[in-house]
């Protein structure tokens, strides 16, 4: 960073960071055992929530310059927010982290390649569904045309870093392009109507994981839900909010509030923990905007995860859920558990399936290392965390790892691939429940 950039960051810290929230941290250390980066770093204070808050406060007070080491400390945080439930002072660490990252990003001049990548990802890809469909279709062509087999056979993939080669192996089969574009905006309930819901279809969930979205719709119908899918909905903005693009996140939030406000519904349903956690904090994101703050609060009040509504509507009692005998364990989505406070419902649904032996994984509530694009930008730390997670998983003797978020699902598949566990599979809970209900 240049001296000018450091001065601007310091100025904005003083103007924008919440001093009361920074002072809320009592330095008690209750967060330390819950922080994956603190543990894998060899217990470095700068890689703990307490340490990062201390660094933020030092920058705020002007006693520390926001240099590259400070930025690195913040960037190495997974943002899993496991520190928040165990904090006796109720520190909103996630809000502090996002604000700090945004301040740094808005005042730092990135290199030309970085600027180009950020422009494509944050402005051209995720906010524009048509572009995401085009990219997804290219992946589908790569898979189905024989290019994938050829690339592997001639060793082309060896040109890429190890973690990207491994990720290429576990990419899901991409749906046909016409399937990505064709879907009704309304689905009636099967049987007696119990609720009217709007479905947040998401970005990756509605392209790479389209079949899981279809399964979600079928489960909601079976549970007695009338479903609307607003056509003008957008990306939730989580990736933007976590990566220092807060203004873009606000634009997407407003688009979603507008889209979902056109229908009178009881709930807005999500099936991705990361998306749901960001959606449910739109009220915080837009708290300083008088034109949108009240609308954001009404929007947030309706957000509910798919497992929560299924559990509340007694889906597991309404249907005789059954699967071939298997040992199942569950990997919590950090944001689903720590932000949306949803952990009981998915477990109860899994326990209700005949043929399933549910085994709780040790530290199932700790991050798997996916964290959005963390496993791409910080592969070393991500894989260290994943390796620890897989050791815990193997102790369960599970043959099925269930998740509730696309990033967790891919990370679990990656862990299975790295460990060579041929008899183990990863599955989104929605897909498993639909299979059990048929």
């Amino acid at each position: 960073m240049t001296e000018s950039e450091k001065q601007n960051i310091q100025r904005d810290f003083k103007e924008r960071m919440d001093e009361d929230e920074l002072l809320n941290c009592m330095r008690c250390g209750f967060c330390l055992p819950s922080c994956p980066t603190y543990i894998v770093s060899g217990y470095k204070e700068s890689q703990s929530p307490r340490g990062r808050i201390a660094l933020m406060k030092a920058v705020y007070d002007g006693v520390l310059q926001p240099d590259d080491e400070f930025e690195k400390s913040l960037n190495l945080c997974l943002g899993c927010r496991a520190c928040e439930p165990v904090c006796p002072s109720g520190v909103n660490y996630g809000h502090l982290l996002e604000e700090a990252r945004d301040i740094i990003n808005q005042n730092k001049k990135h290199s030309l390649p970085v600027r180009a990548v950020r422009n494509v990802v944050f402005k051209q890809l995720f906010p524009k569904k048509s572009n995401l469909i085009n990219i997804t279709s290219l992946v589908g062509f790569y898979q189905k045309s024989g290019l994938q087999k050829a690339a592997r056979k001639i060793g082309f993939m060896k040109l890429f870093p190890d973690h990207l080669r491994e990720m290429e192996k576990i990419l899901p089969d991409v749906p046909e392009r016409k399937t990505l574009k064709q879907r009704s905006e309304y689905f009636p309930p099967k049987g007696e109507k119990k609720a009217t819901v709007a479905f947040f279809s998401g970005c990756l969930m509605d392209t790479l994981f389209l079949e899981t979205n279809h399964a979600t719709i079928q489960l909601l119908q079976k549970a007695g839900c009338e479903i609307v899918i607003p056509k003008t909905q957008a990306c939730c903005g989580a990736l933007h909010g976590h990566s220092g693009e807060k203004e873009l996140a606000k634009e997407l939030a407003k688009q979603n509030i507008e889209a979902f406000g056109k229908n009178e519904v009881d709930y807005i349903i999500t099936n991705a923990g990361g998306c749901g956690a960001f959606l449910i904090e739109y009220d915080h994101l837009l708290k300083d905007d008088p034109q949108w703050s009240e609308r954001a609060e009404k929007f947030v009040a309706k957000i509910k995860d798919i497992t929560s509504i299924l559990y509340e509507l007694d889906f597991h009692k309404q249907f005789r859920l059954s699967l071939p005998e298997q040992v199942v364990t569950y990997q919590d989505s950090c944001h689903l558990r720590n932000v949306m406070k949803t952990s009981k419902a998915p477990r109860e649904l899994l326990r209700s399936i005949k043929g399933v032996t549910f085994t709780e994984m040790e530290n199932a509530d700790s991050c798997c290392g996916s964290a959005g694009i963390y496993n791409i930008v910080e592969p070393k730390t991500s894989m260290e965390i994943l390796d620890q997670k897989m050791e815990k998983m193997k102790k369960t003797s599970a043959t099925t790892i269930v998740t509730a978020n696309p990033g967790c699902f891919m990370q679990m598949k990656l862990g299975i691939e790295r460990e060579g566990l041929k008899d183990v599979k990863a599955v989104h809970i929605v897909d498993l429940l639909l299979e059990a209900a048929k």
Side-chain angles (χ1 to χ4, degrees):
M1 291 184 196
T2 65
E3 286 304 313
S4 175
E5 288 171 343
K6 291 176 184 178
Q7 289 172 9
N8 290 336
I9 290 170
Q10 201 120 36
R11 177 202 65 212
D12 282 3
F13 256 66
K14 196 68 178 175
E15 292 177 359
R16 291 174 50 184
M17 293 299 288
D18 187 336
E19 185 180 21
D20 289 340
E21 199 68 76
L22 289 169
L23 290 171
N24 251 350
C25 178
M26 301 186 301
R27 314 289 191 264
C28 66
F30 278 30
C31 59
L32 301 182
S34 300
C35 180
T37 55
Y38 175 69
I39 294 168
V40 299
S41 71
Y43 309 106
K44 290 182 181 178
E45 186 70 15
S46 62
Q47 296 307 321
S48 72
R50 178 177 70 178
R52 290 183 177 109
I53 291 173
L55 292 173
M56 292 182 213
K57 183 64 167 61
V59 171
Y60 178 91
D61 290 336
V63 298
L64 175 72
Q65 276 202 326
D67 56 14
D68 292 337
E69 281 301 309
F70 171 70
E71 182 184 11
K72 183 179 178 182
S73 175
L74 298 188
N75 287 341
L76 277 172
C77 178
L78 293 150
C80 68
R81 297 173 69 167
C83 51
E84 293 184 10
V86 298
C87 177
S89 298
V91 176
N92 289 304
Y93 173 80
H95 297 167
L96 291 172
L97 179 67
E98 287 179 6
E99 193 72 13
R101 284 176 171 173
D102 189 62
I103 291 171
I104 292 171
N105 181 62
Q106 299 309 316
N107 286 290
K108 179 181 177 180
K109 187 175 181 180
H110 295 288
S111 65
L112 185 60
V114 171
R115 288 204 305 273
V117 170
R118 291 182 73 92
N119 179 68
V120 169
V121 172
F122 297 125
K123 295 182 180 179
Q124 305 301 325
L125 186 58
F126 284 93
K128 299 179 181 179
K129 182 74 173 287
S130 59
N131 288 345
L132 198 57
I133 289 175
N134 290 337
I135 292 294
T136 304
S137 298
L138 286 176
V139 174
F141 177 77
Y142 167 73
Q143 290 176 331
K144 296 177 176 67
S145 65
L147 279 175
Q148 186 177 50
K149 289 183 179 178
R152 292 175 179 177
K153 188 173 182 180
I154 65 174
F156 177 73
M157 295 308 300
K158 292 180 180 178
L159 298 175
F160 294 88
D162 290 348
H163 68 288
L164 292 182
R165 287 206 307 272
E166 291 175 334
M167 287 181 183
E168 186 268 348
K169 292 179 183 178
I170 51 94
L171 280 174
D173 292 333
V174 175
E176 297 289 338
R177 183 183 180 87
K178 61 181 180 181
T179 309
L180 292 170
K181 290 191 170 185
Q182 295 175 351
R183 184 179 55 214
S184 173
E185 296 171 41
Y186 173 79
F187 294 86
K190 298 287 179 67
E192 177 190 355
K193 186 176 106 172
K194 296 182 179 179
T196 299
V197 304
F199 177 45
F200 182 82
S201 53
C203 300
L204 291 179
M205 289 304 300
D206 218 33
T207 48
L208 279 179
F209 302 98
L210 185 64
E211 290 305 313
T212 300
N213 269 5
H214 289 168
T216 302
I217 293 167
Q218 291 178 63
L219 285 177
L220 288 170
Q221 286 182 290
K222 286 176 177 288
C225 293
E226 177 183 38
I227 310 159
V228 293
I229 307 178
K231 192 173 183 179
T232 55
Q233 65 176 287
C235 168
C236 68
L239 187 60
H240 301 75
H242 300 329
S243 305
E245 296 286 352
K246 205 169 185 179
E247 289 306 312
L248 290 175
K250 288 179 180 179
E251 290 177 19
L252 293 168
K254 292 172 183 178
Q255 186 174 336
N256 282 322
I257 291 169
E258 183 71 32
F260 283 87
K262 293 176 181 177
N263 300 100
E264 284 296 326
V265 298
D266 301 309
Y267 306 109
I268 299 170
I269 304 302
T270 73
N271 62 4
C275 294
F278 201 74
L279 294 170
I280 209 168
E281 292 198 328
Y282 274 4
D283 54 346
H284 172 77
L285 185 67
L286 299 172
K287 63 182 173 62
D288 297 323
D289 190 326
Q291 292 184 318
W292 288 92
S293 57
E294 187 175 341
R295 296 179 69 181
E297 289 173 5
K298 291 179 180 178
F299 176 90
V300 163
K302 294 183 178 182
I303 299 294
K304 193 178 289 287
D305 181 69
I306 176 66
T307 58
S308 291
I309 191 169
L310 291 177
Y311 183 69
E312 289 171 16
L313 293 178
D314 288 333
F315 177 82
H316 54 306
K317 297 177 182 177
Q318 181 182 354
F319 292 90
R320 296 187 65 183
L321 304 179
S322 178
L323 286 171
E325 289 193 6
Q326 55 192 285
V327 178
V328 170
T329 195
Y330 179 71
Q331 166 59 30
D332 284 282
S333 156
C334 295
H335 289 98
L336 182 59
R337 183 182 184 111
N338 300 327
V339 183
M340 296 188 75
K341 313 301 182 188
T342 300
S343 60
K344 178 182 177 181
R347 287 172 167 80
E348 291 302 310
L349 290 169
L350 291 172
R351 288 190 178 101
S352 72
I353 303 174
K354 183 181 178 182
V356 162
T357 300
F358 180 79
T359 304
E360 188 70 52
M361 188 195 315
E362 183 185 352
N363 295 336
D365 57 345
S366 68
C367 187
C368 64
S370 171
I373 57 172
Y374 189 93
N375 53 5
I376 297 174
V377 298
E378 299 290 350
K380 181 177 180 295
T381 304
S382 175
M383 293 305 103
E384 288 175 356
I385 292 170
L386 176 59
D387 290 344
Q388 290 186 358
K389 175 65 64 175
M390 295 310 295
E391 287 303 313
K392 299 288 195 302
M393 190 287 298
K394 285 188 285 188
K395 291 179 181 178
T396 68
S397 300
T399 53
T400 305
I401 311 172
V402 179
T403 73
N405 187 61
C408 302
F409 168 73
M410 293 291 284
Q411 189 81 337
M412 290 297 96
K413 284 190 69 176
L414 185 58
I416 291 168
E417 174 73 22
R418 285 166 61 86
E419 296 289 335
L421 304 175
K422 299 186 183 301
D423 297 325
V424 179
K425 66 178 181 179
V427 62
H428 192 291
I429 190 168
V430 162
D431 296 307
L432 192 74
L433 288 172
L434 183 61
E435 182 185 350
K438 287 184 175 178

